[in-house]
Amino acid sequence: MPDKGRPYAVVRRADAQDAERLTALIHASGAYQGAYASIIDGYRVDAAYIARHRVFLSEDPGGRLLGFYSLMPDLDPPELDLAFVADDAQGRGIGRLLIDHMIRQAREAGARGVRVVSHPPAEGFYRRMGAERVGTVGPALPKVTWERPDLWFTVPEHAG
């Protein structure tokens, strides 16, 4: 439980020193075990990736990594590339904190919306956060052998 007056989690821009921690969080994700393991097999977040994209992470006051996301606002349309919350931090509002932050970042970049090609089990989360399903993306062989929900977050012009 957080101390009064002290936030449970903070969000900050990731830097090159965070790359290994972000990669470890991806590979520890229970959502990518079994049939979905192929998509992260060998995947790494490196310093170049962090330098190229808007990568933000959430930590507790002690510096423990709780989650992160990567926004690619220069794509047309802008896209949420990665979003992970540590298994033991799920259900505590970290995902909502990160998505709210991502929407603000997208607005600051001038985006009207953000596309999410979702991991199938994560679709419900994104929809609870306000995303709408706009279609389906087919397999991307050889690593992705399943269809994925194609979702859209509308970015409001002003903070609500």
Side-chain angles (χ1 to χ4, degrees), residues 106-129:
R107 182 176 35 253
E108 288 176 17
R112 294 178 178 229
V114 175
R115 181 182 191 206
V116 180
V117 178
S118 178
H119 178 51
E123 179 180 8
F125 164 75
Y126 288 121
R127 293 186 68 172
R128 286 190 303 278
M129 297 301 104

Side-chain angles (χ1 to χ4, degrees), residues 4 18 21-22 30 42 60 63 71 98 101-102 111 116 119 122 126 128 132 141 148:
K4 286 189 176 186
D18 296 310
R21 293 192 317 152
L22 302 181
D60 70 13
L71 176 65
L98 291 169
H101 190 274
M102 182 271 303
V116 180
H119 178 51
Y126 288 121
R128 286 190 303 278
E132 296 177 46
L141 300 172
R148 293 161 291 157

Side-chain angles (χ1 to χ4, degrees), residues 80-157:
L80 177 66
D81 186 43
L82 300 170
F84 284 86
V85 173
D87 288 355
D88 64 350
Q90 291 180 13
R92 297 193 204 165
I94 302 303
R96 178 175 294 282
L97 176 72
L98 291 169
I99 294 299
D100 288 348
H101 190 274
M102 182 271 303
I103 294 293
R104 288 192 305 275
Q105 286 293 310
R107 182 176 35 253
E108 288 176 17
R112 294 178 178 229
V114 175
R115 181 182 191 206
V116 180
V117 178
S118 178
H119 178 51
E123 179 180 8
F125 164 75
Y126 288 121
R127 293 186 68 172
R128 286 190 303 278
M129 297 301 104
E132 296 177 46
R133 186 168 185 156
V134 295
T136 301
V137 175
L141 300 172
K143 284 192 163 211
V144 182
T145 59
W146 56 89
E147 291 185 340
R148 293 161 291 157
D150 193 1
L151 308 170
W152 182 257
F153 280 103
T154 299
V155 174
E157 287 187 39

